[in-house]
Amino acid sequence: MIFKFFFLVAYFAFSAEASILSPPYPQTSTDQSNVLRYLNGGPFVENTGFGLPLDPPYGCKIEQVQLFMRHGERYPTKSAGKTFETLYQKLKNDTVTSYSGPLAFVKDLEYFVNDPENYEMESTKGVYSGLLEAYRLGAFFRERYESLLDSSSVVPIFAASQQRVVDTARSFGKGLFLDQYNSSCSIQIINEVGKMNGANTLTPITNCLSYNTSLYQHTFGENIYQAEAERLNALSPGFNITPDDIFTMGAYCGYELNVKGKSDMCQALSMDAFQALQYQDDLQKFYQFGPGHNMSAVSGGLLANASAQLLQEDRKVVFSFMHDNDLLTYFTALGLPTDTELSTEEIEFHRSFKTSEFIPQGARLIIEKLNCSDSENVRFIVNDKVYPLPGCSSGPGFTCPLEETIELLTPEHEYAEACGLPDDRPHELTFYWDWEPTFTDN
Ligand SMILES: *[C@@H]1O[C@H](CO)[C@@H](O)[C@H](O)[C@H]1NC(C)=O
Ligand SMILES: *[C@@H]1O[C@H](CO)[C@@H](O)[C@H](O)[C@H]1NC(C)=O
Ligand SMILES: *[C@@H]1O[C@H](CO)[C@@H](O)[C@H](O)[C@H]1NC(C)=O
Ligand SMILES: *[C@@H]1O[C@H](CO)[C@@H](O)[C@H](O)[C@H]1NC(C)=O
Ligand SMILES: *[C@@H]1O[C@H](CO)[C@@H](O)[C@H](O)[C@H]1NC(C)=O
Ligand SMILES: *[C@@H]1O[C@H](CO)[C@@H](O)[C@H](O)[C@H]1NC(C)=O
């Protein structure tokens, strides 16, 4: 009590200045204890970054911005939902009579998807609402890039055709254009069903016939989940938690956060379990859609090549909405994750590749072309943090000179050929150039 009182007085008396009780620069590092860093499918979290400020480097002016964004936070898919409901039923089973320990919250637990229609869709409530996330980013773009928006022409917003992606694009457009939404921007839906769009796509993995996503066949973490299950069964007897349940609980935590903004499930699991859950996801993403799969850079190269073309044009803004795995192949094409392999035996704590750093819900890559008085340069912003390209940071503010960027973005392999596209499907990505300003999909 006395301590608390002293602390309050100290806070009010000295908060404006540095003191022994409030150092001007924090001496604690807590970022990696944020549970959002350990979730696959959980809410957006910024990239850790390198401390570089978002302000354009001194003497530089933004001339063009490209956005590639995953849809915002969403409800689970139907199949994940089925697993969550099964776990929920199991936890709520009457055989448990006294609720104690980490799972005591189960007594009052209610399943977080109350309408099956919501499965697969953006979340609309809570602090981590997916639509709010997209709207907020739209507002951020209005603040940051207003000078690039020309009110006399219609801005296209490209979106892969799945409902949640389109809804995200619309919410972004509303945050950006407010009451001018229906006259200032045009939602352009790029079909992602049936692979017939070939190379003219925002879903390059799906359309690539030679991209075998089932090559990945590792398992990870069994002994860690076993130990976690034993811990929970000892502290909260009666639930008969299995190692598989631990995996489901981790995912439950992420999706309940997306939907409700909070989740007791997140508190029940230990950091050991989260480390294993994170690494299991990282391994899978790495070998299925990241640097560990030889078709990843081919897939992402399709979009990187389009970016390179766009950087050489005068247009000011380019907005594209898509899915996590396709965005990850773009990151791979850029060479941002620098690991070449990951151990499937033990957690590689020293890796650069983490799913939550690159593709949380609402993940985004922003590419800015900068005019810096005597040179043009390009800056990459990954999940709101400036992210210099490995091997190219000689420009002002560690940007990459435009010519070098274009070289780096130009892929080694032709997508249509490497993906084995038949003649009846488009072999070129053209939608950025041949769209029509209609408002029917807004
Ligand atoms: C509930 O517990 C009983 C007895 O242990 C078991 O037979 C039954 O399968 C459980 N139900 C669920 C939904 O887990
Ligand atoms: C924009 O137009 C669509 C279709 O014409 C309409 O359904 C929607 O309500 C309009 N939205 C806004 C924000 O004006
Ligand atoms: C993809 O890889 C798996 C695992 O190696 C293999 O069983 C399957 O036949 C492959 N599919 C195709 C279409 O090549
Ligand atoms: C990827 O690997 C497969 C076999 O594992 C090979 O057939 C294919 O040519 C490779 N693709 C590229 C682009 O290296
Ligand atoms: C950069 O900006 C300056 C000043 O506005 C302008 O004169 C110059 O043409 C621009 N450079 C390029 C390459 O666009
Ligand atoms: C990059 O795009 C251009 C223009 O669409 C195209 O001509 C070229 O073949 C593409 N390069 C690769 C490697 O796909």
Side-chain angles (χ1 to χ4, degrees):
M1 193 61 204
I2 287 168
F3 175 77
K4 249 192 195 159
F5 178 70
F6 173 70
F7 195 80
L8 266 179
V9 168
Y11 178 77
F12 284 112
F14 305 118
S15 63
E17 286 170 44
S19 84
I20 202 158
L21 292 177
S22 66
Y25 304 106
Q27 290 175 289
T28 51
S29 167
T30 55
D31 185 57
Q32 296 301 319
S33 57
N34 181 352
V35 77
L36 300 186
R37 300 218 167 275
Y38 298 87
L39 305 174
N40 164 39
F44 177 80
V45 57
E46 286 188 342
N47 187 280
T48 301
F50 302 94
L52 299 169
L54 271 186
D55 296 341
Y58 179 71
C60 300
K61 202 173 125 250
I62 303 171
E63 288 188 323
Q64 183 191 82
V65 61
Q66 299 182 22
L67 168 71
F68 294 87
M69 184 173 178
R70 180 190 189 184
H71 58 76
E73 287 83 347
R74 62 165 169 84
Y75 280 82
T77 58
K78 281 191 190 104
S79 65
K82 203 169 272 175
T83 320
F84 296 154
E85 272 185 85
T86 307
L87 173 73
Y88 176 77
Q89 296 303 340
K90 174 176 170 175
L91 293 175
K92 294 300 266 188
N93 204 337
D94 280 339
T95 55
V96 175
T97 49
S98 85
Y99 294 88
S100 62
L103 296 178
F105 72 92
V106 168
K107 186 163 185 279
D108 302 314
L109 183 66
E110 284 173 34
Y111 186 49
F112 64 95
V113 183
N114 40 28
D115 182 349
E117 293 278 304
N118 288 332
Y119 281 124
E120 326 262 343
M121 304 301 240
E122 290 295 286
S123 59
T124 59
K125 294 180 192 166
V127 290
Y128 304 122
S129 149
L131 291 186
L132 180 61
E133 180 73 44
Y135 189 92
R136 193 168 37 213
L137 191 72
F140 172 72
F141 269 56
R142 183 155 39 85
E143 180 176 85
R144 187 173 175 83
Y145 304 112
E146 203 157 30
S147 67
L148 299 179
L149 298 169
D150 162 13
S151 57
S152 67
S153 61
V154 175
V155 172
I157 300 182
F158 301 96
S161 60
Q162 203 169 44
Q163 191 65 46
R164 60 176 174 262
V165 180
V166 175
D167 288 344
T168 299
R170 287 177 179 148
S171 203
F172 170 82
K174 288 170 189 168
L176 177 55
F177 294 108
L178 303 176
D179 59 348
Q180 306 295 306
Y181 168 72
N182 265 345
S183 53
S184 293
C185 70
S186 163
I187 303 291
Q188 300 280 318
I189 298 182
I190 312 299
N191 180 36
E192 60 172 294
V193 183
K195 304 176 196 261
M196 288 309 289
N197 263 54
N200 195 23
T201 187
L202 278 170
T203 47
I205 297 170
T206 314
N207 290 13
C208 180
L209 302 188
S210 59
Y211 199 130
N212 185 344
T213 59
S214 52
L215 280 175
Y216 174 82
Q217 277 160 357
H218 303 290
T219 56
F220 183 82
E222 269 162 274
N223 50 352
I224 302 172
Y225 300 143
Q226 177 68 43
E228 181 72 353
E230 283 166 19
R231 185 183 74 89
L232 290 177
N233 288 329
L235 297 175
S236 298
F239 292 102
N240 191 22
I241 300 296
T242 66
D244 282 350
D245 292 337
I246 303 300
F247 180 78
T248 308
M249 289 169 74
Y252 192 112
C253 149
Y255 283 97
E256 191 173 35
L257 286 179
N258 292 346
V259 170
K260 289 176 57 180
K262 56 187 180 165
S263 172
D264 289 319
M265 204 64 88
C266 303
Q267 259 107 60
L269 296 172
S270 71
M271 186 44 112
D272 283 16
F274 277 120
Q275 293 283 348
L277 288 163
Q278 180 199 47
Y279 195 68
Q280 181 181 3
D281 290 333
D282 293 352
L283 270 180
Q284 180 163 353
K285 291 293 186 193
F286 184 87
Y287 283 108
Q288 234 176 343
F289 306 112
H293 196 302
N294 75 346
M295 293 304 288
S296 179
V298 171
S299 166
L302 179 73
L303 299 172
N305 194 28
S307 277
Q309 313 295 318
L310 293 163
L311 280 170
Q312 297 171 72
E313 296 179 4
D314 281 336
R315 83 170 84 186
K316 309 256 186 253
V317 298
V318 189
F319 303 133
S320 310
F321 289 81
M322 54 207 292
H323 295 280
D324 57 346
N325 296 330
D326 298 295
L327 185 57
L328 179 52
T329 67
Y330 193 164
F331 287 132
T332 305
L334 288 174
L336 299 193
T338 50
D339 308 278
T340 52
E341 55 187 325
L342 292 181
S343 167
T344 55
E345 302 297 318
E346 58 174 9
I347 296 179
E348 256 186 49
F349 284 97
H350 305 279
R351 69 195 182 281
S352 80
F353 181 81
K354 287 182 182 169
T355 308
S356 61
E357 293 281 359
F358 287 106
I359 47 166
Q361 308 281 4
R364 52 253 186 177
L365 168 66
I366 296 172
I367 303 175
E368 292 178 341
K369 181 166 73 162
L370 303 165
N371 178 344
C372 309
S373 55
D374 59 349
S375 63
E376 285 191 293
N377 298 279
V378 180
R379 186 153 75 156
F380 293 80
I381 299 171
V382 174
N383 298 333
D384 303 352
K385 294 292 182 195
V386 173
Y387 206 99
L389 279 190
C392 189
S393 55
S394 63
F398 307 99
T399 52
C400 182
L402 179 63
E403 292 309 315
E404 281 178 60
T405 307
I406 288 166
E407 239 168 78
L408 279 165
L409 290 174
T410 303
E412 198 180 321
H413 299 279
E414 195 88 29
Y415 176 86
E417 194 196 324
C419 289
L421 296 192
D423 291 342
D424 65 345
R425 296 176 201 184
H427 282 209
E428 303 267 324
L429 189 159
T430 56
F431 63 81
Y432 287 125
W433 293 274
D434 58 15
W435 62 280
E436 304 278 344
T438 58
F439 302 95
T440 46
D441 288 322
N442 276 42

